[in-house]
Amino acid sequence: MAPGVQFTLFQLLLTLFLILDLVKKGGAGITSTFTRSQWQSFDIPLDNKVFAIPTGYNAPQQVRITQGDYDGKAVIISWVTADEPGPSKVQYGTSEKKYDLSADGKVTNYTFYNYKSGYIHHCLVDGLEYETKYYYKIGLSASSREFWFQTPPKIDPDSPFTFGIIGDLGQTYNSLSTLEHYMQSGGQTVLFVGDLSYADRYQYNDVGIRWDSWGRFTERSTAYQPWIWSAGNHEIEYMPDVGEVIPFKSYLHRYSTPYLASRSNNPLWYAIRRASAHIIVLSSYSPHVKYTPQWQWLRDELKRVDRKKTPWLIVVMHVPIYNSNQAHFMEGESIRVVFERWFVHYRVDFIFAGHVHAYERSYRISNIRYNVSSGDRYPVPDRSAPVYVTVGDGGNQEGLAGRFWDPQPEYSAFREASYGHSTLEIKNRTHSFLHWHRNDDGQRVPADSVVFLNRHWASNLRRRKLKKNHLKARGEINF
Ligand SMILES: *[C@@H]1O[C@H](CO)[C@@H](O)[C@H](O)[C@H]1NC(C)=O
Ligand SMILES: *[C@@H]1O[C@H](CO)[C@@H](O)[C@H](O)[C@H]1NC(C)=O
Ligand SMILES: *[C@@H]1O[C@H](CO)[C@@H](O)[C@H](O)[C@H]1NC(C)=O
Ligand SMILES: [Fe+2]
């Protein structure tokens, strides 16, 4: 190619870039240009101390708790013993070292290829008091281990509560950074938006081994506060080449959910109420079209939501519905077409998802007018619609999803590809604060912080005010 032609091409490209840049600046959303520093995205070696196996014969490891009932007066405590089943007993009480109560659980085990799991214990501890610190002990004599947790305040519209939102965590140095930052955040319970260990990136017996290491890795938080689980694609583990064809086999053996308490027939979808929030967990990878069990359950569960008791309605699922990243673009469509209309009708406050390894927050928008014979296929501002938040940036070995669609779609309010976690600080029935913390900044500097008014208690009030002041909805749609 002649040098003159090259020069012209270069000029043409430059002009194009300048035009694109102008178009970008026309949009309302923010694409953060923050340049991250990051740890390399490989898994921490198994001999690292973050995976240390507790000492002593048959010592309990991978200790974790989750909510055990509908209203927060029970926990399910789970752990693994390596040498023999041993007791599934939890001793507990309200003062340290004094365990006047006990509960008995169940033990299970499974194989995956030639890997044989340890003995996995699940013990329901119920009849707890609200807002109380409990101490608990598991295992026998010299190998026993002690932990504690705090129960939530009672179900009340003004019970304050702080949830952490973590997704796609994995077990790299970035994952460790996310976990450590979260643990300084003041979060009281984690809403985990799926993709836990990334053990399925391994082969043969290493799959099971990496599930075990992840259980020990996360214990620093999961033993002391409930993590509310939802399943992602990395939990499916459909691996016919090694003879493993039962979806979610490792996940379902290891992670308990209180699905029966919300009348679900499947641990992959369920609901809990905690403080002032009603939390609905959905499974992106289970049937959800009309008449399927998940569809029927969600229809009925939404009717049970009582915004006078739990004003904050939150949905958790793995695959985002509104995502402007090139990674996993539109993978949430099949769920959107069946459930979005309900989310708008019931005025869901937040939909938290993961899957895309970046952070993104939407405005309140909906695309429910579209049907295959109408032409309205575009999301429009909608005050009854949820805010969609993607927090798939926990730090797994697949790295970040840094390529966003340009220009930023109008529905996207803020997006950035850095590792981090979110917190949702519920203050009372009308106000909550959503923060996103990137790991690079340390805990005290949220990179995105927004005040949200409750869809049930605050939106009517606000609408009246807006009308009075002749304000346009645009630019105010966060609220
Ligand atoms: C579970 O553990 C029992 C007792 O050690 C053992 O006999 C059985 O084979 C194990 N089952 C699986 C599926 O690993
Ligand atoms: C499809 O959308 C059009 C335009 O919004 C509407 O008039 C029509 O009733 C819709 N059809 C169905 C079956 O919902
Ligand atoms: C709710 O919390 C917000 C934010 O902290 C505060 O401004 C507001 O006054 C509170 N409302 C009530 C009724 O306490
Ligand atoms: Fe995923």
Side-chain angles (χ1 to χ4, degrees), residues 49 63 176 202 248 254 318 387 399:
K49 65 179 190 318
V63 182
L176 179 62
Y202 290 83
F248 305 107
R254 290 165 184 271
H318 186 58
V387 166

Side-chain angles (χ1 to χ4, degrees), residues 59 62 99 103-104 115 148 171 220 323 350 411 425 457:
Q62 308 176 43
Y99 305 104
D104 282 302
Y115 164 90
W148 51 262
Q171 39 194 309
R220 69 206 68 226
N323 160 40
F350 300 101
Y411 59 77
E425 230 182 302
W457 286 98

Side-chain angles (χ1 to χ4, degrees), residues 85-103:
S88 298
K89 184 188 285 294
V90 172
Q91 293 177 274
Y92 65 101
T94 51
S95 38
E96 210 169 352
K97 310 264 178 209
K98 270 187 67 187
Y99 305 104
D100 28 25
L101 299 160
S102 75

Side-chain angles (χ1 to χ4, degrees), residues 168 193-195 198 232-234 285 318-319 328 331 354-357 398:
D168 305 67
V193 292
D195 283 358
Y198 285 73
N233 51 308
H234 286 279
Y285 300 101
H318 186 58
V319 179
H328 303 304
E331 286 181 20
H355 200 39
V356 178
H357 301 164
E398 290 173 350

Side-chain angles (χ1 to χ4, degrees), residues 234-248:
H234 286 279
E235 278 67 71
I236 302 173
E237 294 185 337
Y238 175 69
M239 299 182 177
D241 45 327
V242 296
E244 291 299 342
V245 294
I246 302 171
F248 305 107

Side-chain angles (χ1 to χ4, degrees), residues 369-371 373-376:
R369 286 188 301 181
Y370 170 60
N371 63 43
S373 47
S374 81
D376 294 332

Side-chain angles (χ1 to χ4, degrees), residues 63-99:
V63 182
R64 46 188 166 253
I65 66 177
T66 195
Q67 185 161 318
D69 64 353
Y70 201 44
D71 281 346
K73 293 184 89 174
V75 294
I76 301 167
I77 302 180
S78 305
W79 69 95
V80 174
T81 53
D83 305 310
E84 57 169 284
S88 298
K89 184 188 285 294
V90 172
Q91 293 177 274
Y92 65 101
T94 51
S95 38
E96 210 169 352
K97 310 264 178 209
K98 270 187 67 187
Y99 305 104

